[in-house]
Amino acid sequence: MRATIDEARQGLAEGGIPIGSVIVHSGKIIGRGHNRRVQKGSAILHGEMDAFENAGRQPAKVYRECTLYTTLSPCSMCTGAILLYGIKKVIVGENKTFMGEEELLRSRGVEVTVLQDPECISLMENFIADKPVLWNEDIGE
């Protein structure tokens, strides 16, 4: 989870939204990323999507053996990517500030663990309070 928080902090330092993600295979990070919608002018570069992009092309078998870590509960777009690539385990930093599609993941056999990590919660609470318009844009409101 430390690597996801580091990614989130990097995104915030770049003027973006503090959400980070890493994809781990056999104990090794194969993809890491953070929300870069603002930095890249992107409609889709959420933290999880950036981690997938940075992991690159992998055999389906590799993704099925991975664990995805994310600082925030995955939205419907990121959930779709998790399901598409067959990720079986997702570790979520927190879902207090935003509840994503955890139930959909669970209904499709994905093991979801929510940590309610105080640092993840604080990052998002502070960001949402400071930049509510940008936050609402990110979640499609």
Side-chain angles (χ1 to χ4, degrees):
M1 187 53 67
R2 181 78 253 152
T4 64
I5 294 170
D6 291 345
E7 285 290 328
R9 289 198 176 283
Q10 182 178 342
L12 184 62
E14 294 170 357
I17 299 165
I19 302 169
S21 182
V22 297
I23 300 170
V24 175
H25 181 260
S26 298
K28 179 183 171 203
I29 295 174
I30 64 167
R32 61 188 315 136
H34 52 275
N35 187 307
R36 291 206 256 181
R37 289 185 63 254
V38 172
Q39 300 91 312
K40 296 282 188 173
S42 172
I44 62 168
L45 273 182
H46 283 190
E48 299 90 337
M49 302 300 277
D50 194 39
F52 275 115
E53 179 70 16
N54 291 324
R57 289 180 60 200
Q58 299 290 332
K61 177 184 183 300
V62 169
Y63 278 124
R64 286 193 301 268
E65 296 171 349
C66 287
T67 299
L68 183 140
Y69 292 78
T70 181
T71 56
L72 187 65
S73 185
C75 73
S76 55
M77 176 177 63
C78 297
T79 293
I82 291 165
L83 294 173
L84 177 68
Y85 290 107
I87 303 285
K88 299 292 184 210
K89 187 173 184 179
V90 175
I91 310 295
V92 176
E94 66 103 352
N95 65 7
K96 182 180 176 216
T97 61
F98 176 79
M99 173 59 78
E101 299 292 338
E102 295 171 23
E103 287 309 312
L104 175 58
L105 289 169
R106 288 184 182 105
S107 77
R108 298 283 295 275
V110 177
E111 179 186 337
V112 178
T113 302
V114 180
L115 304 177
Q116 300 303 20
D117 180 87
E119 190 172 359
C120 293
I121 294 168
S122 175
L123 270 170
M124 286 310 300
E125 284 179 342
N126 292 336
F127 178 79
I128 292 167
D130 291 344
K131 298 189 177 179
V133 172
L134 183 55
W135 170 241
N136 286 332
E137 175 190 318
D138 196 63
I139 59 172
E141 290 187 8

